[in-house]
């Protein structure tokens, strides 16, 4: 995440957290959770308000979470009632740890040139049968909007970014933003698994 984007989240942490806490994510949970081992370990990566981590925890999953913004991580820890680490996707360096990794509207702040390595980090962090969920704003550009830097992806760009990994898209679909006044924004969603080459 760029310093510009990080500064934005640190300065607007409370407002951002409040604006996302009550967004209905049930349709996305319904796609992701059937692929996660029962009572498995889910990483909410770039957790923001920790809205999703709180839901997963309530469903009986073990949850870990991190965010690059210290201010957001502090708010998220309070809401989740457990520590939320301050780190970036580039600093994720664990192996075989998670049954599911949830990257909801978080990888979109990683510069496109750094995404191939970040996907390798995520691949390594997953258990053999683990599942990865990602979402990006739909498009093809890298852009700055309202003080934040975004990497937009479409289906082809995402598939291309995974071509050097053992990750394979098992489902991808488009959805519209669930926040009021944002219905015109389209998102690319994908479920991704590790495919082991024999």
């Amino acid at each position: 995440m760029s310093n510009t984007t990080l500064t934005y989240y640190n300065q607007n942490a409370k407002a951002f957290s409040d604006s996302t806490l009550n967004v209905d994510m049930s349709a996305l949970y319904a796609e992701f959770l059937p692929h996660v081992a029962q009572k498995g370990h889910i990483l909410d990566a770039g957790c923001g308000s920790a809205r999703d981590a709180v839901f997963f925890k309530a469903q009986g999953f073990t949850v870990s979470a991190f965010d690059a913004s210290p201010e957001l991580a502090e708010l998220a820890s309070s809401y989740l009632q457990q520590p939320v680490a301050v780190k970036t996707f580039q600093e994720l360096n664990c192996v075989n740890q998670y049954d599911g990794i949830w990257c909801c509207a978080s990888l979109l702040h990683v510069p496109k040139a750094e995404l191939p390595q970040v996907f390798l980090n995520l691949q390594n962090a997953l258990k053999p049968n683990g599942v990865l969920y990602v979402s990006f704003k739909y498009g093809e550009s890298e852009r700055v909007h309202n003080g934040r830097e975004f990497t937009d992806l479409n289906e082809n760009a995402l598939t291309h970014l995974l071509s050097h990994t053992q990750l394979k898209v098992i489902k991808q679909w488009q959805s519209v933003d669930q926040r009021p006044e944002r219905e015109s924004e389209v998102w690319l969603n994908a479920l991704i698994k590790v495919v082991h080459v024999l």
Side-chain angles (χ1 to χ4, degrees):
M1 186 185 288
S2 72
N3 288 335
T4 316
T5 306
L6 195 53
T7 300
Y8 172 91
Y9 282 113
N10 283 331
Q11 291 176 347
N12 298 280
K14 183 77 170 74
F16 176 78
S17 180
D18 289 349
S19 74
T20 59
L21 269 180
N22 297 312
V23 179
D24 179 9
M25 304 298 282
S26 54
L28 297 178
Y29 300 152
E31 296 282 356
F32 174 68
L33 291 177
H35 296 277
V36 183
Q38 211 171 359
K39 309 293 184 197
H41 192 175
I42 296 175
L43 172 65
D44 189 348
C47 67
S49 63
R51 169 200 62 213
D52 304 324
V54 166
F55 178 83
F56 299 147
K57 192 173 175 180
Q59 307 308 304
F61 293 97
T62 299
V63 171
S64 297
F66 72 77
D67 200 276
S69 160
E71 300 292 332
L72 268 177
E74 189 175 333
L75 289 170
S77 320
S78 171
Y79 187 53
L80 185 58
Q81 298 291 295
Q82 71 182 57
V84 169
V86 177
K87 70 171 154 187
T88 64
F89 284 100
Q90 291 86 339
E91 294 168 326
L92 180 66
N93 61 358
C94 54
V95 176
N96 265 10
Q97 199 158 330
Y98 303 106
D99 298 289
I101 302 180
W102 177 261
C103 304
C104 183
S106 52
L107 283 172
L108 48 69
H109 293 310
V110 176
K112 194 169 185 179
E114 294 176 31
L115 277 170
Q117 181 58 50
V118 163
F119 274 118
L120 284 173
N121 294 354
L122 291 163
Q123 171 186 303
N124 292 338
L126 278 173
K127 291 181 182 175
N129 293 316
V131 63
L132 170 65
Y133 166 78
V134 304
S135 61
F136 291 85
K137 295 198 181 202
Y138 196 86
E140 301 179 70
S141 60
E142 290 189 83
R143 61 193 169 86
V144 178
H145 181 68
N146 287 349
R148 291 175 290 169
E149 294 180 19
F150 289 91
T151 299
D152 298 340
L153 293 183
N154 59 23
E155 292 88 348
N156 289 340
L158 177 59
T159 303
H160 180 70
L161 280 169
L162 300 179
S163 59
H164 71 298
T165 70
Q166 291 181 301
L167 294 169
K168 185 171 176 22
V169 173
I170 55 169
K171 180 176 181 179
Q172 51 188 345
W173 69 100
Q174 295 174 30
S175 61
V176 295
D177 203 298
Q178 295 297 307
R179 290 169 291 180
E181 317 296 316
R182 303 285 279 272
E183 295 87 352
S184 63
E185 294 187 18
V186 178
W187 289 81
L188 172 68
N189 305 272
L191 291 173
I192 298 168
K193 287 198 165 184
V194 180
V195 177
H196 295 282
V197 183
L198 297 176

